[in-house]
Amino acid sequence: MRPFDYVRATDAEQAVAVVSADPRASFLAGGTTQLDLMKDGVLGPERLIDITRLPLGGITHTDSAIRVGALTTMEELAADPVVGERLPFVREALLLGASTQLRNMATIGGNLLQRARCRYFRDPTVAACNKRNPGSGCAAITGIQRMHAILGTSDHCIALHASDVAVPLVALDAVVHVRGANGTRSIPLTQFYLPPGDTPHIENVLQHGELITALEIPLLPETARSHYLKVRDRVSYEFALVSAGVALVIEDGVVQEARVALGGVGTVPWRCWDAEGVLRGARAGADVFRTAAEAALEGARPLPGTAFKVELAKRTLVRTLETVAGAAS
């Protein structure tokens, strides 16, 4: 690991000012991924600003939403009774996203910002990685592709966004609140992430020095049912090959409201707008669920190593829809 300066922030304004003024400075929260990448030589900040003592934790509730401080841990959010009652697929994604030890360290803000799980990005001995070295190429496109994306890819990058909880959060239209040198702003999570295009090194809309302070999560209607299904190679501590987050409101067998997102297949947490359009107003059943799954995977660009994900994603989504519809009946 390269040497770095360490600063413990005393307030959010100071933290933002220090990082904004120094292009080689970064925030440090739980550090569960960041420190690994520093040890591997992938990241090399010259100054770390520790924000863990700032008052950016806690969960507050209203009738329509919950507000989650950015330093709230995954475990704290999963244990919140309102999340368990009104947002069960968020709780499921949190519990499936990491071991208990990691959930007690990893923060919600950090989870949203976790870096790609691409083996080539995480190996600095591989020269061709447009995320690490813009313009150098993408080793994954001609390499081992099994854990890579099929939606939102480009000729410059096929790296996967690996967050579990971001999947239901995108489906819920969660909003990220940030603070920067020029003030505060609120960003819908569906607009927060950027597909790689020809700039894979730019992963989200945050400006350098902007700090996530909170996440606002709308609550599902009391009549909604939801589920998060994660398909992976092994049960213990593994990233998703494919995952699906679904919430439905069904009345008299007809889908009145649908929220659908996929993980394990997109360069960003993938909101399935077309699948939601298929489902709304349709009678819940196997045929419409398969049609929705087909719509969700429209435009997929698999490579030989990821071709299996197209059908696996469709089947995962159908199974999740069937599970939610069964719970709602």
Side-chain angles (χ1 to χ4, degrees):
M1 184 186 292
R2 302 173 190 170
F4 59 88
D5 294 331
Y6 172 85
V7 178
R8 176 169 286 167
T10 57
D11 59 59
E13 183 177 0
Q14 177 216 21
V16 168
V18 171
V19 176
S20 297
D22 185 352
R24 298 291 290 173
S26 296
F27 298 114
L28 172 67
T32 54
T33 296
Q34 183 180 17
L35 294 178
D36 285 342
L37 293 176
M38 291 173 62
K39 291 175 183 177
D40 290 339
V42 177
L43 300 180
E46 295 181 357
R47 180 180 292 181
L48 284 182
I49 312 304
D50 186 343
I51 62 172
T52 55
R53 301 293 179 89
L54 301 184
L56 297 177
I59 304 168
T60 56
H61 309 88
T62 68
D63 291 339
S64 60
I66 63 172
R67 186 181 178 94
V68 184
L71 292 179
T72 304
T73 67
M74 294 173 65
E75 186 68 15
E76 289 169 337
L77 184 57
D80 184 82
V82 175
V83 172
E85 180 180 352
R86 297 287 297 276
L87 300 170
F89 69 154
V90 172
R91 182 175 189 272
E92 291 166 348
L94 287 164
L95 295 178
L96 291 170
S99 67
T100 305
Q101 294 91 333
L102 286 175
R103 293 199 305 269
N104 276 288
M105 288 189 64
T107 64
I108 294 303
N111 185 278
L112 296 179
L113 293 174
Q114 66 177 289
R115 302 302 300 275
R117 293 292 165 180
C118 174
R119 64 166 63 191
Y120 303 104
F121 167 71
R122 289 171 175 260
D123 184 353
T125 66
V126 176
C129 176
N130 288 318
K131 279 190 178 295
R132 276 189 287 103
N133 303 306
S136 63
C138 177
I141 289 178
T142 56
I144 299 173
Q145 304 146 357
R146 190 168 186 271
M147 297 300 294
H148 288 76
I150 59 175
L151 292 166
T153 61
S154 75
D155 293 337
H156 302 278
C157 185
I158 60 171
L160 185 70
H161 193 280
S163 172
D164 284 284
V165 74
V167 175
L169 292 178
V170 162
L172 287 165
D173 293 317
V175 175
V176 180
H177 299 287
V178 305
R179 179 171 185 168
N182 297 319
T184 61
R185 61 180 177 140
S186 300
I187 309 164
L189 197 59
T190 52
Q191 300 173 24
F192 182 79
Y193 297 106
L194 298 174
D198 57 4
T199 55
H201 60 292
I202 304 175
E203 298 179 348
N204 56 62
V205 300
L206 290 181
Q207 300 298 312
H208 181 72
E210 283 192 309
L211 174 66
I212 295 177
T213 57
L215 179 69
E216 188 172 351
I217 310 174
L219 296 175
L220 291 169
E222 292 185 2
T223 57
R225 298 293 180 269
S226 69
H227 182 49
Y228 180 76
L229 176 61
K230 182 175 183 178
V231 178
R232 47 189 170 171
D233 286 324
R234 59 183 183 184
V235 173
S236 177
Y237 192 49
E238 182 62 277
F239 299 101
L241 288 172
V242 173
S243 66
V246 169
L248 301 176
V249 175
I250 300 176
E251 297 178 4
D252 298 324
V254 176
V255 179
Q256 303 297 325
E257 182 57 54
R259 294 179 177 272
V260 180
L262 292 172
V265 291
T267 55
V268 300
W270 199 259
R271 181 73 177 268
C272 302
W273 303 101
D274 290 342
E276 293 177 359
V278 169
L279 292 164
R280 290 192 186 100
R283 182 162 292 278
D287 290 343
V288 74
F289 293 163
R290 183 67 191 190
T291 301
E294 296 284 350
L297 273 295
E298 186 70 29
R301 296 178 59 192
L303 293 170
T306 55
F308 75 99
K309 284 195 172 187
V310 177
E311 182 60 25
L312 180 61
K314 292 176 183 178
R315 295 189 183 198
T316 300
L317 182 50
V318 169
R319 179 178 166 186
T320 311
L321 288 164
E322 289 174 342
T323 298
V324 176
S329 61

